[in-house]
Amino acid sequence: ISGPQGYGERQYLPAERALPYTIRFENPADAAANPSEIRIVSQIDPGLSPRSFRLGDLQLGDITIKVPGGRSNFQGDFDLRNSRGYVLRVSAGIDATTATATWLLQAIDPATGELVRDPARGLLPPNVANGQGLGSVGYTVTSAFGLEANREIRASARVLFNTAAPIDTPELVQYLDVNAPQTTLALERIGSADYGVRWSANDGTGGSGVRHTTVYVAKDGGDWAIWLRQSTDSQAVFNGEAGHSYEFVAVSTDNAGNQERPASVAKLPDDGT
């Protein structure tokens, strides 16, 4: 199982973002048969919200099944009789009460309506070349609400081919940085129209640390505009025009990707974070 790109040694991840995960599996090159049924089971960590779970696409060798966006559950039959000799039956989704995600992939014999019995006609051939014996499923999930700071989250999966013994993936351990930085800003008037602007951002104890700060300015009560984009400095001089008034706000982003949301400002231009 692989997850989102985290920051630093603890692999910090942002809160309130859709985090992508992929579970990969393989029919070994020395396998004696193609499985007619593959089941993948993954327990969603309590730090993640099962109600935010959304399915991604799935892959079986050179077969790609596109799952419609925004689905937490999906079922479908795909007629592969001409190319594979079976109907691919897909049943995937999450049980929100147990936070268990399950994918059931089956090769159905169109003549009997049951699982294919021919070991040469199953879902995945032995993976001897070109990735024909590789498969994957994907999903996204968002952090739960009300977590303590810097919550550890774990991800793993279990894969079962037919009635063979299950195979467990290695466990992926990362941390949620649940708090955005907080920024304080100070102004000092220099001359008639210039301002010395200073800011300081804090990401809290044990957080991923401040990545950068974007400073916005509004002239004469108008719309906010970016003055300094993603700055790693802590001060600068703003050159204004005589006879006009200016307001400033500073918004910081931490290394995990959490961006501050100032309560006093309704909407700010996107700084591209």
Side-chain angles (χ1 to χ4, degrees):
I1 186 167
S2 61
Q5 178 67 47
Y7 172 79
E9 183 179 349
R10 303 188 86 188
Q11 287 290 291
Y12 280 113
L13 302 173
E16 302 179 17
R17 302 281 181 89
L19 304 174
Y21 291 87
T22 301
I23 302 165
R24 296 179 175 86
F25 46 92
E26 173 187 17
N27 194 18
D30 60 355
N34 299 10
S36 58
E37 181 176 275
I38 300 174
R39 185 186 299 269
I40 304 108
V41 181
S42 183
Q43 184 70 40
I44 304 302
D45 190 277
L48 302 172
S49 170
R51 298 193 180 278
S52 71
F53 178 92
R54 296 295 181 268
L55 290 163
D57 296 339
L58 63 91
Q59 190 84 25
L60 283 172
D62 59 357
I63 301 170
T64 301
I65 302 298
K66 297 288 187 181
V67 177
R71 296 282 191 90
S72 58
N73 290 276
F74 175 76
Q75 291 183 330
D77 283 358
F78 300 87
D79 191 346
L80 304 178
R81 284 177 292 181
N82 292 335
S83 60
R84 298 293 192 273
Y86 60 78
V87 173
L88 172 60
R89 179 163 295 167
V90 177
S91 179
I94 190 165
D95 182 341
T97 59
T98 62
T100 304
T102 303
W103 292 258
L104 180 61
L105 315 176
Q106 297 175 309
I108 301 298
D109 188 330
T112 65
E114 299 180 350
L115 290 175
V116 166
R117 296 184 180 276
D118 182 354
R121 275 201 300 150
L123 297 170
L124 280 179
N127 190 34
V128 294
N130 302 322
Q132 289 299 303
L134 297 176
S136 67
V137 297
Y139 66 93
T140 63
V141 66
T142 304
S143 60
F145 293 107
L147 298 178
E148 68 273 17
N150 309 319
R151 164 66 183 262
E152 179 185 86
I153 57 170
R154 296 174 176 267
S156 63
R158 170 167 287 186
V159 181
L160 302 95
F161 282 10
N162 291 346
T163 58
I167 298 175
D168 293 327
T169 70
E171 191 172 52
L172 178 65
V173 181
Q174 296 176 291
Y175 287 79
L176 282 169
D177 184 345
V178 301
N179 297 318
Q182 294 184 335
T183 308
T184 56
L185 184 146
L187 297 174
E188 179 184 4
R189 193 160 189 167
I190 304 173
S192 60
D194 296 339
Y195 298 88
V197 185
R198 301 188 305 276
W199 58 92
S200 175
N202 189 308
D203 195 39
T205 303
S208 61
V210 176
R211 181 180 180 186
H212 53 62
T213 302
T214 293
V215 185
Y216 298 83
V217 62
K219 180 180 179 181
D220 296 330
D223 293 336
W224 291 98
I226 295 175
W227 171 41
L228 299 173
R229 185 189 302 272
Q230 299 184 9
S231 174
T232 55
D233 296 326
S234 60
Q235 60 183 353
V237 174
F238 178 82
N239 303 120
E241 301 175 13
H244 296 276
S245 64
Y246 298 91
E247 295 172 273
F248 298 87
V249 64
V251 173
S252 296
T253 302
D254 63 25
N255 286 301
N258 297 302
Q259 189 172 58
E260 188 175 10
R261 300 175 183 174
S264 59
V265 180
K267 187 175 182 180
L268 293 171
D270 183 6
D271 72 346
T273 297

